[in-house]
Amino acid sequence: MFSISATDPTVLTMVGKPANTLGEFPVSVALSTSLSQACVANSGAKAGVACFAMSAKDGLTPLDTCLRPFELNQTTPPVGPLNTVSQTFFNSDSTMLITTVKGDPTKNNTGFLSVFPVENNVVSKTETRSSPAGTAVLFGTALLPNSSDLFVTDASFGAATLSLSSANIAITLASTKIADQKATCWAAFSELTGTTFVTDVAVNHLVEIDPASGNIVKNLASTNGNPGLIDLASAGKFVYALSPGNATVGGAVTVFDVSGGKGSEYPFNSRR
């Protein structure tokens, strides 16, 4: 855990000591400021989730002695990206910890959504798993405001909007098939447009989706030479998308202007 300088955001100072995630291959971190807790998802041979108390003075303090396990029959490092842990996150009111886990359609192994409720300000060890209809390789997520619904990507076809029942079973409300996709993996919701945006590590495009209907609002092909886009974030009138680059093209952040509202995005610039 690090503190960030109030005057220079590039200055990071470690708080406390590094904490053991109880696994071998950590891939995702979820933070809850209301609970003052962080949870880490591990993939690989020891897949599962462990949680920690967060303190500005002491850093991370373990709350678990063992993982909340996912039995994936994997190795460390994992052979993937299929059959691996994707993303862990708290819902908007920190009443549950949710994790997406990718399946492997080639082996008839369906991915699932894992839900651990928060009880007495502690993430429970009691899990509910479900495989939403039509999904297989669940990956990135975006929380939808003023709703308990979830927007998730699925690398096998595109994206879906999910609802959780009172029993924490995921139900597919809308599904989006992206015709030219290869591996749709990351998602972000824009407050300005009221829509979600997804990226593809192997296709250099930004796809805007209406999460309520699943309809594609716009599929913007970028011509800046990036091999594809991975993680992205939405802030105000911009969407920021990271390109990992490859052996011939360097990494970059592409900025898309969405100030015109729904369906208005265009590349603002690309910085390497």
Side-chain angles (χ1 to χ4, degrees):
M1 178 174 167
F2 295 87
S3 64
I4 304 174
S5 168
T7 57
D8 185 349
T10 67
V11 176
L12 306 178
T13 304
M14 184 182 295
V15 180
K17 297 180 179 180
N20 188 340
T21 67
L22 303 180
E24 299 172 343
F25 201 85
V27 294
S28 180
V29 179
L31 302 179
S32 169
T33 55
S34 62
L35 297 173
S36 294
Q37 291 181 27
C39 293
V40 180
N42 294 274
S43 199
K46 295 176 65 176
V49 178
C51 295
F52 307 83
M54 295 188 299
S55 164
K57 176 184 177 182
D58 301 320
L60 299 172
T61 301
L63 296 175
D64 300 317
T65 57
C66 61
L67 288 171
R68 295 162 184 79
F70 302 135
E71 303 82 6
L72 301 182
N73 192 29
Q74 264 287 3
T75 58
T76 300
V79 178
L82 300 177
N83 192 39
T84 59
V85 178
S86 299
Q87 183 176 354
T88 192
F89 58 99
F90 286 96
N91 65 341
S92 58
D93 60 1
S94 292
T95 57
M96 60 184 70
L97 179 71
I98 306 172
T99 306
T100 50
V101 179
K102 297 182 286 290
D104 185 351
T106 66
K107 297 180 180 178
N108 199 29
N109 176 20
T110 303
F112 60 87
L113 192 79
S114 163
V115 178
F116 291 98
V118 174
E119 300 171 346
N120 299 317
N121 292 327
V122 175
V123 178
S124 169
K125 298 293 181 68
T126 303
E127 179 193 23
T128 300
R129 292 184 186 181
S130 56
S131 298
T135 66
V137 189
L138 297 176
F139 204 114
T141 61
L143 295 177
L144 301 179
N146 305 314
S147 172
S148 60
D149 297 341
L150 309 172
F151 182 84
V152 300
T153 60
D154 189 304
S156 66
F157 67 86
T161 302
L162 308 179
S163 175
L164 288 175
S165 72
S166 58
N168 292 334
I169 300 297
I171 301 167
T172 303
L173 298 179
S175 181
T176 306
K177 290 181 172 57
I178 302 174
D180 61 339
Q181 79 100 42
K182 292 185 179 179
T184 302
C185 295
W186 288 268
F189 178 85
S190 169
E191 294 278 359
L192 192 152
T193 64
T195 55
T196 50
F197 293 86
V198 300
T199 55
D200 191 312
V201 67
V203 180
N204 191 20
H205 69 182
L206 183 74
V207 182
E208 182 180 3
I209 298 171
D210 179 350
S213 65
N215 293 334
I216 293 177
V217 176
K218 186 174 182 178
N219 186 337
L220 175 65
S222 183
T223 58
N224 58 16
N226 289 330
L229 299 170
I230 51 174
D231 204 3
L232 73 165
S234 171
K237 62 180 183 179
F238 297 110
V239 171
Y240 304 85
L242 177 64
S243 175
N246 55 28
T248 58
V249 179
V253 175
T254 298
V255 183
F256 297 91
D257 189 318
V258 297
S259 58
K262 186 175 181 179
S264 69
E265 62 271 16
Y266 67 91
F268 184 73
N269 65 20
S270 181
R271 295 187 181 273
R272 300 193 186 279

